[in-house]
Amino acid sequence: CLPLDHKEGREMALNTTLATQFKSRGYDTVSFSSSALNMAGTKWFMTQNQLSANFDEEFNPLVTKDLHVNEAAQDDILVGNYFKEWLNLRQKDRSNNEGDGRKPFFAQFYYVNSH
């Protein structure tokens, strides 16, 4: 657990992201969520940057413009549909370019039990 109440931990939480770490190792990065990640004003505010910044692609209701099924989010099943579409497009793009289409990727998923 990071010492988030100390200067070093706060700096790390606010200036480091999962996506950046994976991208520096050659991974494609993508984030899927049935709700826009907004942790401002909560005790988790410092993890907002780590969990949501610097992804190559993002899929959430702010991006996809999908309607919410309740106050919090779109239908969770759409997250899986967007992942399948992303994988298909990725495979098609890779087959049209040099290489074997096996570049690693980091994908993160957030579901909020909306259905």
Side-chain angles (χ1 to χ4, degrees):
C1 186
L2 292 173
L4 295 179
D5 55 344
H6 296 92
K7 183 179 181 196
E8 181 181 347
R10 290 174 83 85
E11 290 296 316
M12 184 177 200
L14 296 172
N15 296 309
T16 304
T17 72
L18 287 171
T20 300
Q21 291 177 8
F22 277 99
K23 285 166 72 168
S24 73
R25 291 168 175 82
Y27 286 68
D28 289 335
T29 60
V30 61
S31 177
F32 299 91
S33 178
S34 57
S35 178
L37 295 177
N38 182 358
M39 299 175 199
T42 72
K43 66 180 180 179
W44 304 106
F45 77 96
M46 285 188 286
T47 60
Q48 173 80 35
N49 183 62
Q50 284 187 318
L51 298 177
S52 63
N54 202 26
F55 280 86
D56 294 319
E57 293 184 73
E58 290 184 51
F59 294 84
N60 65 56
L62 294 177
V63 174
T64 63
K65 305 299 185 211
D66 291 312
L67 297 176
H68 286 189
V69 294
N70 61 31
E71 187 178 321
Q74 69 190 26
D75 193 330
D76 283 331
I77 198 73
L78 294 174
V79 173
N81 293 343
Y82 284 121
F83 180 54
K84 284 188 265 187
E85 289 176 21
W86 181 81
L87 283 174
N88 288 336
L89 285 173
R90 186 175 191 275
Q91 189 62 34
K92 185 185 286 187
D93 288 346
R94 295 282 178 235
S95 65
N96 292 332
N97 296 318
E98 290 183 28
D100 61 5
R102 295 186 183 185
K103 183 177 180 184
F105 67 86
F106 169 74
Q108 72 175 7
F109 300 84
Y110 290 99
Y111 296 97
V112 293
N113 291 326
S114 295
H115 42 271

